[in-house]
Amino acid sequence: MGQYEHISVETGTQPGLAVVTIRREKALNALNDATLRELTRVAGELEDDDDVRVVAVTGAGDKAFVAGADIGEMKDLGPREAKDFAERGGALAASIEGSKKPYIAVVNGFALGGGCELALACDFIYASGSAVFGQPEVKLGVIPGFGGTQRLSRRVGIAKAKELVLTGATISADEASRIGLVDVLAEPDALWDRVRESAKAIAKNGPLAVAEAKRVMQAGQSMTLEHAVDTEQRAFAGLFATGDQKEGMDAFVSKRKPEFGGR
Ligand code: DAK
């Protein structure tokens, strides 16, 4: 892995699991431009590492996941620079959504603005009871710029999303879980156990199958049902050209554990 100033990456805690930690604790892990660039770079590096099967993204300390884009850095941007910044955030979200690997946002405190949006770009949001979610951008005279207006609506429904975005209100982890924003709500001590369990379960499966399932489900979000089902069928058929399909089915009939090669 490359050298990073604002994030750290650990791959040694559990086979198949990479943990990316945003380390700007004094600014509640707010995303400045340099951090966005590092996150995009690490996503590319992890994508190329076949040993990494699941990526967990979290914030350092117990107060914040990410308290938003860095307001101090953003405040003097002109429209052109704001567009560049938005594109950088958009590219990061696209690289997470377009990744072959599932991403889990592990939310341990404030997930506000760009922090909530970063979590929304991940495949799953696991949160401790102390997590707080919100899109308070309207309080700053702007709107979510990192895909939040769209991803939040798709996740919790447009009415709930409008309520959050237009009021700028924050909600507790319990409420976020109730409306479907949080997938797994756990006691702080148990949160990482849940992440590791899920990572272990995913890492046992065929890597190509996991990647294809994610790709097809993600792509289907912006397709008609007919087109989406067609896309699924093509992906299903394509997997029959892989060693993983042969291995998975042979292992089943031979009553042994599969050893997937990702080929
Ligand atoms: N940016 C920069 N610094 C931040 C920050 C942020 N978003 N949030 C907190 N900090 C800093 C504080 O300034 C403070 O620094 P010092 O004064 O100690 O130097 C330190 O973190 C601790 O914060 P507080 O003293 O405020 O701590 P409290 O416990 O009192 O309050 C809080 C915690 C989270 C309620 C409060 O800090 C707060 O309201 N923070 C701002 C939350 C917020 O409004 N977030 C949304 C930011 S706007 C885009 C992508 C994304 C976005 C926009 C565009 N493109 C790609 C274009 C998204 C926009 C946003 O996220």
Side-chain angles (χ1 to χ4, degrees):
M1 288 298 142
Q3 293 293 306
Y4 297 101
E5 189 183 342
H6 303 294
I7 64 174
S8 64
V9 192
E10 271 180 88
T11 51
T13 51
Q14 175 176 314
L17 176 65
V19 179
V20 175
T21 306
I22 298 161
R23 296 199 175 278
R24 297 192 71 223
E25 211 174 327
K26 284 190 182 149
L28 303 188
N29 302 318
L31 296 173
N32 61 359
D33 192 54
T35 307
L36 275 183
R37 285 175 192 265
E38 289 191 359
L39 286 169
T40 306
R41 184 152 62 88
V42 79
E45 286 190 29
L46 295 172
E47 197 61 18
D48 292 339
D49 185 341
D50 287 345
D51 292 336
V52 172
R53 302 291 314 282
V54 176
V55 181
V57 180
T58 195
D62 53 11
K63 193 165 169 190
F65 170 68
V66 168
D70 190 312
I71 300 168
E73 199 177 88
M74 255 191 318
K75 75 179 184 21
D76 296 323
L77 297 183
R80 198 192 170 109
E81 294 154 312
K83 187 163 175 286
D84 287 349
F85 189 58
E87 282 173 5
R88 200 125 44 237
L92 172 62
S95 67
I96 292 174
E97 275 181 353
S99 168
K100 298 188 292 256
K101 304 158 199 246
Y103 273 66
I104 305 175
V106 186
V107 179
N108 45 332
F110 292 110
L112 303 178
C116 188
E117 293 171 291
L118 174 63
L120 283 164
C122 295
D123 299 288
F124 311 108
I125 301 178
Y126 286 27
S128 76
S130 64
V132 174
F133 293 84
Q135 298 285 167
E137 287 89 344
V138 288
K139 295 186 173 182
L140 300 167
V142 291
I143 66 170
F146 195 3
T149 60
Q150 307 310 311
R151 290 195 183 89
L152 186 61
S153 301
R154 285 169 196 212
R155 201 168 169 110
V156 304
I158 191 160
K160 260 289 162 219
K162 277 184 185 163
E163 190 185 327
L164 284 170
V165 171
L166 305 188
T167 64
T170 55
I171 55 170
S172 66
D174 273 342
E175 175 70 358
S177 170
R178 206 181 57 73
I179 66 173
L181 175 54
V182 162
D183 301 297
V184 170
L185 179 61
E187 292 298 321
D189 304 353
L191 183 61
W192 279 97
D193 288 343
R194 296 294 300 273
V195 174
R196 282 188 278 271
E197 269 169 36
S198 297
K200 195 170 165 193
I202 291 168
K204 278 187 192 159
N205 300 330
L208 298 176
V210 169
E212 280 296 84
K214 172 171 167 174
R215 182 182 69 79
V216 165
M217 292 170 91
Q218 204 65 52
Q221 293 292 299
S222 51
M223 292 177 186
T224 61
L225 180 62
E226 193 182 11
H227 188 189
V229 169
D230 184 60
T231 304
E232 180 194 85
Q233 286 170 357
R234 285 166 195 271
F236 173 81
L239 286 166
F240 281 74
T242 68
D244 279 2
Q245 175 268 329
K246 308 282 176 262
E247 170 62 11
M249 294 193 181
D250 186 63
F252 178 81
V253 296
S254 312
K255 301 190 186 303
R256 63 176 174 81
K257 285 192 179 150
E259 285 186 28
F260 293 113
R263 299 281 179 266

